[in-house]
Amino acid sequence: MSSVVPILDGELLRAFVAFADALNFTRAAQVVGLSQPAMFERIARLADEVGATLYEREGRQLRLTDAGVRVAAFAREELARTHSFLAELRGEARRERIVLAAGEGAYLYLLGPAVRAFLRDEPDVALCPLTRGGPDAVEAVREGAAHLAVGVVDLVPEDLIARDLVRTPLCAAMSATHRLARRRSLRLTDLAGERLVLAPPGQSHRNFVGRALSGLPGNAAPPIEADGWPLMLQLAGLGLGVAIVNGICSLPRGAVARPVRELGQVTYRVMWRRGASLPPAASRLRDRILAAEVRAAT
């Protein structure tokens, strides 16, 4: 048996990155300019070379296996390293590109000061934001699609390193004229009979709130569905219902928020891949985010 480790073909790696992004052979083939059968053949050949199953079917969807996640991260790093080397060899100027994955709420209410200061001090760095909720932000980092992730994640995967940023209560937001606005804090039972403003079905926050409120008596009306903290808060401030939001949210005029004791608190974390060599600018952005939250806490 040969002990020589094969050099992975760059075209196979490019094909797999496209597949990891799309999780669909037809769409991935369009990205790299191949036919669908050719794309399928390249992914199969890469799986043979690394000796592992790279994806599996889950219902009607495809998902990467753990090995596939690791290969996707390797492929992205290898392609970026090759591109950087060739640019340096040719004497071409190249801006360092850093990808940060975080949810809408984190960008709006948590990361603004750190990102603003970073962009001011690092004009030669291209910062590329990905809008991803906590679990999806984590997967973006694990697959190498993002250098850093910020979000609420209860269980941090073993292949990531996490540092806590801020711990914040879950609150009920409502109009300042609402009957519950006079309270300093609330119980879940106080929300019985209230019309709720909730995220769309399938989102992790909607699932959590749904489980927490499942034991309450029936509500006065079906919930109002709103996508994103700003719209949820605006509707609550107008008096159309009560929204359950994270305590970091800035409230619109006419709205108040009260912590709900039984819902406890959530922790925002910054995360990056264990064992990966972060680009210098990504390390500086991570440190800037951590420092900004330390100052905010004090």
Side-chain angles (χ1 to χ4, degrees), residues 233-256:
L233 289 165
Q234 190 65 36
L235 295 175
L238 291 172
L240 297 177
V242 175
I244 305 298
V245 299
N246 293 352
I248 64 168
C249 294
S250 298
L251 300 173
R253 180 176 299 180
V256 299

Side-chain angles (χ1 to χ4, degrees), residues 108-132:
L108 288 173
Y109 309 120
L110 184 65
L111 295 172
V115 168
R116 187 179 300 111
F118 178 80
L119 293 175
R120 180 193 63 217
D121 296 339
E122 307 260 2
D124 294 330
V125 175
L127 179 59
C128 303
L130 280 181
T131 306
R132 300 285 189 275

Side-chain angles (χ1 to χ4, degrees), residues 100-117 132 134 149-153 163-168 229-230 246-250 266-271 285-286 288-297:
L100 170 64
E104 179 188 50
Y107 281 122
L108 288 173
Y109 309 120
L110 184 65
L111 295 172
V115 168
R116 187 179 300 111
R132 300 285 189 275
V150 172
V152 175
V153 179
R163 295 289 181 269
D164 291 356
L165 294 178
V166 63
R167 192 164 174 82
T168 182
W229 299 127
N246 293 352
I248 64 168
C249 294
S250 298
V266 295
T267 301
Y268 280 85
R269 297 181 169 98
V270 58
M271 294 157 282
L285 175 59
R286 175 198 61 197
R288 175 82 69 172
I289 291 170
L290 287 166
E293 295 314 311
V294 168
R295 289 195 297 272

Side-chain angles (χ1 to χ4, degrees), residues 6-43:
I7 298 175
L8 295 179
D9 189 317
E11 293 304 318
L12 298 185
L13 297 181
R14 270 186 283 274
F16 190 66
V17 167
F19 173 74
D21 286 338
L23 290 177
N24 179 283
F25 281 104
T26 301
R27 291 199 296 270
Q30 292 171 347
V31 169
V32 294
L34 294 172
S35 66
Q36 194 269 354
M39 170 61 73
F40 185 86
E41 186 274 335
R42 288 194 181 184
I43 302 305

Side-chain angles (χ1 to χ4, degrees), residues 5 31 35 47 60 77 81 85 109 115 135 140 149 163 170 180-181 227 235 237 254 260 270 285 298:
V5 177
V31 169
S35 66
R60 295 186 176 182
E77 289 179 353
R81 190 179 299 114
F85 171 73
Y109 309 120
V115 168
R163 295 289 181 269
L170 282 161
L180 297 175
D227 197 355
L235 295 175
V260 181
V270 58
L285 175 59
T298 57

Side-chain angles (χ1 to χ4, degrees), residues 182-203:
R182 296 189 297 272
R183 310 267 189 94
R184 297 185 63 181
S185 64
L186 301 175
R187 293 280 192 182
L188 278 176
T189 52
D190 295 328
L191 302 179
E194 294 292 334
R195 187 173 195 183
L196 300 177
V197 181
L198 299 176
Q203 294 191 11

